[in-house]
Amino acid sequence: MPESIQELTNKPRDPTSGEPVPSSQADGTGRNLGLAFRGRAGTALGLGTALIYLSLIVLIPLAAVVWRSAGHGPGYFWRSVTTPDSWAALQLTVGASVIVAVVNLVMGTVIAWVLVRDQFAGKGVVDTLIDLPFALPTIVAGLVLLALYGQNSPLGINLAYKRTGVVAALLFVTLPFVVRTVQPVLLELDQEMEQAAASLGAGRWLTFRRIILPNLLPAMTAGTALAFTRSMAEFGSTVLISGNLPFKTQVAAVNIFGKIESDDPIGAAAVSTVLLVVAMLVLFLLDLVQRWRARRG
């Protein structure tokens, strides 16, 4: 039977031809629009929740520290940062963090390579021990290092109250960052490319430099940056073995704690802001390097 005028009027029409759209197609379009709307609403809800959480946990506290440090003007901020004890602590912290980052870049990559490519007795135990600094409270790590490398060291190595002790403590805390960043990339790396290079006469070093290293470099860089920023903020593992000697072994985190105890919260906020700026600069440079490598393919 021919459709009534009322039915034709109520049917949705194609905007290009003006012809009535079949009911099945119209229903499908409605469902697609509904799914798209719900998808956008879900995305907006998730994004809003994430931003609120990050603001409460990260952005607002960091902004409060920066605001507090600038409360008395740039002159007071600069004087707080450049006091002899604070400046010496910042120099030690940045210098030790650079050393730790470089050592972890090399040794973390080597350990990740051994865990992925080599088979040996006790491999599972070693793999588990890598995560120990993540699970162990840092103050306990400092106590362990003091017992092992202190004045009564069973190994005959005394690193207590020395800058080398600070570096050793930071190495212990930050080692997993590089290992756990490089290890998954090595696991997913296609070894057929290495075999093809070897079949064409490439040596091990050339294969590593031209095939393996370019694939590992982003993960190595990310792990090294994380190790550096973690070293900048370390407190617990260094507080015991360093002895907190001003101008000698006192790191920036301990200096900040001392300023708070001395009723100088503005000075503590100023030193904290310097650490924050350095850490953000490192992460920003890391992001630039990753974007540059992504564009190069």
Side-chain angles (χ1 to χ4, degrees), residues 251-283:
V251 296
V254 178
N255 180 262
I256 292 169
F257 182 72
K259 286 183 178 294
I260 294 175
E261 285 190 323
S262 303
D263 197 23
D264 185 15
I266 307 250
V271 179
S272 301
T273 301
V274 173
L275 294 180
L276 173 64
V277 169
V278 173
M280 292 297 295
L281 181 61
V282 170
L283 295 177

Side-chain angles (χ1 to χ4, degrees), residues 1-15 17-27 29:
M1 294 179 62
E3 297 180 349
S4 65
I5 297 177
Q6 184 66 26
E7 290 174 341
L8 290 174
T9 305
N10 292 335
K11 275 192 173 184
R13 296 178 176 273
D14 190 323
S17 63
E19 296 295 328
V21 178
S23 57
S24 58
Q25 183 179 343
D27 293 342
T29 304

Side-chain angles (χ1 to χ4, degrees), residues 112-119 123 186 189 191 194 212:
W113 180 277
V114 170
L115 290 175
V116 173
R117 295 297 179 92
D118 296 337
Q119 299 296 327
K123 178 179 177 180
L186 272 172
L189 193 62
Q191 297 188 32
E194 303 172 42
I212 300 175

